[in-house]
């Protein structure tokens, strides 16, 4: 295990109860870490970005910020895209790097493709033998939600990076 993504925030004002502990413990374990925000499409994208930015202080060597978007919450595709763009713009302005978008292959195709193809992608697609079924380049692939890690009592998601160590190092915060 070389890196870990840790849930930080959700919506306009929620913070994961264990974020501070998990963030600190990952650093102590010398694990490359990334933080993500779980997006609520029915809420303002800029407000959600502020929530994340106020809670997550990224350092050199950390992964870029991640926006986890996988539900429409009843809003139209156009509204969803506008709010996602607002989050991504605010996060990029705050951190000086393009955020990573996390979603599943079908959601990306239905709601995000074409509009967000220039953002790094972390795609969830389980039960695939060798790579996710998606027509664009991807950086991370979440291939299982049933992983086991020493020190963690429950199951965890397993991810792989699509590239070599040089590509990975280029993605990290400076």
């Amino acid at each position: 295990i070389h890196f870990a993504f840790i849930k930080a925030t959700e919506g306009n004002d929620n913070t994961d109860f264990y974020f501070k502990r998990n963030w600190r413990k990952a650093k102590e374990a010398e694990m490359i870490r990334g933080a993500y925000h779980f997006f609520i499409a029915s809420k303002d994208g800029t407000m959600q970005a502020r929530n994340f930015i106020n809670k997550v202080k990224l350092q050199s060597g950390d992964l870029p910020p991640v926006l986890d978007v996988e539900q429409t919450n009843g809003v139209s595709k156009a509204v969803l895209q506008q709010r996602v763009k607002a989050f991504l713009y605010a996060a990029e302005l705050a951190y000086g790097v393009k955020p990573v978008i996390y979603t599943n292959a079908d959601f990306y195709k239905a709601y995000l493709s074409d509009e967000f193809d220039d953002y790094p992608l972390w795609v969830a697609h389980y039960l695939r033998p060798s790579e996710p079924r998606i027509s664009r380049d991807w950086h991370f692939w979440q291939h299982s939600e049933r992983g086991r890690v020493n020190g963690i009592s429950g199951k965890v998601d397993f991810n792989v990076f699509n590239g070599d160590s040089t590509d990975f190092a280029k993605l990290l915060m400076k």
Side-chain angles (χ1 to χ4, degrees), residues 6 11 13 24 28 45-46 51 59 64 68 72 74-75 82-84 95 99 107 109 122 124 141 143 147 152 163 170:
I6 301 165
D13 54 13
R24 185 184 77 255
E28 289 171 4
T46 303
N51 181 28
Q59 301 173 354
D68 175 347
T72 65
V75 303
Q82 180 271 324
R83 291 178 178 165
V84 166
Y95 294 108
F107 192 91
K109 183 178 180 183
W122 172 20
W141 171 30
H143 59 87
I152 299 176
K170 287 178 186 174

Side-chain angles (χ1 to χ4, degrees), residues 68-139:
D68 175 347
V69 55
E70 40 188 314
Q71 300 170 350
T72 65
N73 301 96
V75 303
S76 69
K77 180 177 178 178
V79 169
L80 170 80
Q81 288 181 352
Q82 180 271 324
R83 291 178 178 165
V84 166
K85 286 176 184 177
F87 181 100
L88 295 171
Y89 176 78
E92 186 171 351
L93 197 61
Y95 294 108
V97 64
K98 272 195 180 304
V100 174
I101 295 174
Y102 168 89
T103 194
N104 67 65
D106 292 333
F107 192 91
Y108 191 87
K109 183 178 180 183
Y111 296 99
L112 304 174
S113 64
D114 299 328
E115 289 295 316
F116 300 95
D117 290 348
D118 57 337
Y119 284 88
L121 180 65
W122 172 20
V123 62
H125 200 190
Y126 306 140
L127 307 175
R128 299 287 300 169
S130 60
E131 65 180 47
R133 187 190 76 245
I134 193 159
S135 60
R136 62 155 286 186
D137 291 338
W138 51 273
H139 287 74

